[in-house]
């Protein structure tokens, strides 16, 4: 096996080499803590050694220590009483999700009352709020209630509790009509909430309206449990959360709409600037979900490469996005959407794109269909072990319907994004018809596949087998990169 092609390829992806030890340090921090003086000393020593001696081992140690320290510094202790019955002032930070018998949302505790002295204390911890079906809660509202913050349930997995603690979630609180004391003035609403309200003005109804709000603004409050189950069993649940797919759709369509700008003087720079701004506005309207942030970073790097006419290495951009996001918030490494998004995009770039190149023909229409299928296949296979581990299900039929579902999702996302940008009354009726028809088509596909006898297999993969599968995939990818690229020669006749 020739390692020189592998070294050459990795030399073009320095961020990928930096990401692996940094992420490993974050993972190791979940198993214990170290004194900050020790971490600072280890970081400085390994950094000086790497700089002076150009030692690869010292560089790995510096990045490992940096990841460990970043995760430990961002882990905060709860500043609210747990297990004490008292009063709380809460701000609901997201659109509540309907679970049938109750609704759930993440809320921030802005203040709590000392039950002994009667004084109020400011706070910043988050809790998981559960409200019964008779108590309405809305995203962004402030409420005053009485209750007891309970520790995170021991019935859940340890990985889930670690993730909640990293996010600053101190526990859970049950809200009912009898312990809701007052609804406080809301104040200024976030862009995410205003985007959901603007989409609600489109003349849509039922499940189609819920799917449009979920795919465009990240508002999944209107999704019924039955519809969630259908999307999960059909392998289309990734469409319900604003992710890299949705951000990529906006990125491509905005660049197509602005194709004429390079005809003007400095127009190509203006197009790149407007396209990047539009992508980040879309991500902000969706509430900055981790997968969409990752995609926005990659799109921004690609726009910068187009503006400067420099080389763009997709896997290096993906690693740079992951490194920056984990440096900003190390807790994202345990976020489900973060893991699924990066697994899908890495599989597409490492396996899907090369397969598309090998399968190209002389017919453009055939190439488009083949590319859509192969990219969907790579993303589904790349996330299948993680989906089985997290959700206990392997969607088999999703491989067949993903291309059609993605085509319909393009109509929904573009129509919804256009309404967010231009909420004009003459556009309401045609946009509502287009996005409603596409959303109903996706719903019909999801329900049809979910009802098939062999559409999904219920199987839960353990933690070690899941890690082993991804290690084997990584080893296979590195082995494939060791192959010498074929050289072609042009012989004049």
């Amino acid at each position: 096996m020739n390692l020189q092609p592998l070294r050459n390829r990795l030399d073009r992806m320095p961020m990928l080499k930096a990401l692996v030890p940094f992420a490993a340090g974050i993972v190791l921090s979940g198993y214990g803590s170290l004194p900050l003086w020790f971490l600072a000393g280890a970081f400085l020593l390994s950094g000086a050694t790497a700089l002076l001696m150009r030692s690869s081992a010292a560089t790995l140690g510096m990045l490992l220590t940096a990841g460990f320290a970043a995760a430990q510094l961002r882990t905060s202790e709860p500043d609210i009483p747990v297990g004490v019955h008292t009063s709380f002032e809460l701000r609901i930070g997201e659109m509540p999700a309907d679970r049938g018998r109750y609704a759930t949302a993440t809320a921030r505790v802005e203040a709590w009352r000392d039950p002994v002295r009667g004084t109020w204390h400011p706070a910043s911890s988050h809790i998981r709020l559960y409200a019964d079906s008779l108590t309405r809660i809305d995203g962004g509202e402030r409420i005053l209630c009485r209750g007891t913050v309970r520790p995170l349930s021991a019935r859940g997995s340890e990985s889930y509790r670690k993730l909640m603690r990293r996010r600053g979630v101190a526990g859970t609180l049950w809200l009912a009509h009898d312990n809701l004391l007052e609804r406080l003035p809301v104040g200024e609403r976030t862009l995410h909430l205003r985007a959901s309200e603007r989409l609600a003005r489109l003349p849509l109804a039922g499940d189609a309206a819920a799917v449009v709000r979920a795919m465009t603004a990240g508002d999944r409050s209107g999704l019924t449990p039955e519809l969630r189950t259908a999307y999960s069993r059909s392998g289309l649940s990734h469409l319900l959360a604003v992710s890299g797919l949705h951000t990529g759709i906006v990125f491509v369509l905005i660049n197509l709409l602005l194709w004429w700008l390079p005809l003007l003087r400095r127009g190509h720079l203006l197009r790149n600037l407007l396209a990047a701004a539009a992508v980040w506005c879309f991500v902000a309207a969706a509430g900055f979900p981790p997968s969409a942030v990752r995609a926005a970073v990659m799109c921004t790097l690609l726009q910068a490469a187009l503006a400067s006419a420099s080389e763009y290495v997709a896997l290096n951009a993906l690693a740079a996005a992951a490194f920056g996001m984990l440096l900003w918030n190390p807790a994202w490494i345990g976020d489900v959407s973060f893991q699924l998004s990066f697994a899908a995009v890495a599989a597409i770039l490492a396996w899907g794109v090369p397969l598309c190149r090998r399968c190209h023909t002389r017919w453009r229409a055939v190439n488009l269909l083949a590319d859509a299928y192969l990219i969907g296949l790579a993303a589904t296979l790349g996330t299948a072990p993680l989906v089985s581990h997290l959700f206990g299900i392997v969607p088999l039929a999703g491989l067949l319907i993903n291309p059609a579902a993605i085509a319909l999702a393009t109509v929904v996302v573009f129509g919804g994004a256009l309404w967010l940008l231009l909420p004009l009354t003459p556009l309401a009726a045609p946009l509502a018809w287009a996005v409603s028809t596409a959303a109903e088509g996706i719903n019909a596909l999801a329900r049809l596949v979910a009802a098939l006898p062999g559409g999904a297999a219920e199987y839960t993969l353990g933690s070690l087998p899941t890690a082993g599968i991804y290690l084997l995939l990584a080893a296979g990818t590195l082995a494939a990169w060791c192959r010498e690229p074929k050289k072609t020669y042009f012989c004049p006749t």
Side-chain angles (χ1 to χ4, degrees), residues 63 146 155 214 226 237 274 297 319 340 356 380 387 391 427 449:
L63 292 169
R146 289 186 63 85
R155 292 179 296 178
E226 178 270 333
S237 56
L274 291 177
V297 172
L340 290 174
C356 291
T380 304
V387 170
F391 306 112
L427 291 177
V449 174

Side-chain angles (χ1 to χ4, degrees), residues 402-412 438:
N402 255 317
I406 290 173
L408 293 172
T410 302
V411 178
V412 173

